[in-house]
Amino acid sequence: MHGLRELQHRFAAGLRDADHAAAAWACDDGIPGAARLQLYRNNARALFLQSLELTYPVLRRRVGDAYFRQLVADFRREHPSRAGDLHEVGRPWPLFLATRLEGSPYAWLAELARLEWACADAAVAADAEPVTVAALAALPPEAIAAARLQLLPSLRLVPATVPVLAVWRANRPDAPGTPVDLDAGPEFVRVHRPGDDVEL
């Protein structure tokens, strides 16, 4: 008999590694252990891919489905999910692309990924009401020195060496895919969610 912790570690290793002998301890009640584990493995792989497809639709469109799937497979080997929240799967993706594409003509795709991650992260950031001029004006003079302002939780600034916002707008799933001149200069994009929708 294995302890629960050991079983969980073996199961997790078996999800990531098709050659792992994790299925040896799985019960066989009509479905062999290896086949049973393969069901979970396929689901885990599909959910990982789907999470990145939903978080990075513009990048996926730019590189094409086949190359995107290959990148995701490589990324998953290097950065397996370590959280129960599928949103967190995409957090290391921009850095992965920056390392993977460094020095190539496509290095700018990491900047596009940073913008898409900023959008995804802003969408789930905590709600907060911005301070109004009237609220500031109502502060008594003795309270001003102790007052502290903080940025809204959804606010992000994404600097890029290429016109990354123009690329993002031209390659949204419902956009026509108009070519963008990457030599048009840098852009600095403010990402914010003032209400229900993220604004860039």
Side-chain angles (χ1 to χ4, degrees):
M1 292 290 292
H2 299 288
L4 177 60
R5 183 178 175 82
E6 183 183 353
L7 287 173
Q8 289 172 333
H9 280 285
R10 289 187 178 200
F11 180 73
L15 288 180
R16 294 190 298 269
D17 183 0
D19 297 326
H20 195 273
W25 46 262
C27 67
D28 181 353
D29 58 355
I31 302 177
R36 183 185 301 277
L37 188 60
Q38 188 61 40
L39 293 173
Y40 285 99
R41 190 179 292 128
N42 287 342
N43 284 342
R45 184 171 47 246
L47 286 172
F48 194 96
L49 172 63
Q50 185 180 31
S51 175
L52 291 173
E53 287 175 341
L54 292 172
T55 304
Y56 298 99
V58 174
L59 182 72
R60 176 185 175 199
R61 182 175 181 183
R62 288 292 304 190
V63 303
D65 285 342
Y67 186 53
F68 188 83
R69 284 193 298 269
Q70 181 58 55
L71 284 172
V72 169
D74 295 344
F75 173 65
R76 186 168 178 245
R77 277 191 291 274
E78 294 180 30
H79 300 275
S81 176
R82 301 194 183 284
D85 184 352
L86 281 174
H87 170 74
E88 292 299 318
V89 164
R91 187 175 296 278
W93 179 256
L95 182 58
F96 165 79
L97 287 180
T99 304
R100 177 74 173 258
L101 302 174
E102 185 177 14
S104 79
Y106 303 103
W108 66 273
L109 289 171
E111 297 179 340
L112 177 60
R114 278 196 294 273
L115 179 60
E116 290 202 274
W117 177 252
C119 293
D121 217 24
V124 298
D127 292 328
E129 288 295 323
V131 66
T132 64
V133 173
L136 290 175
L139 282 175
E142 62 274 12
I144 293 176
R148 297 291 179 267
L149 298 178
Q150 63 184 20
L151 297 176
L152 293 168
S154 69
L155 186 63
R156 308 284 186 274
L157 179 64
V158 182
T161 59
V162 298
V164 70
L165 180 57
V167 171
W168 183 85
R169 285 181 172 150
N171 289 277
R172 299 283 296 149
D174 56 349
T178 308
V180 174
D181 179 9
L182 295 179
D183 295 324
E187 286 185 342
F188 300 85
V189 187
R190 179 178 60 97
V191 179
H192 174 43
R193 198 194 75 239
D196 293 333
D197 299 319
V198 174
E199 294 181 0
L200 289 79

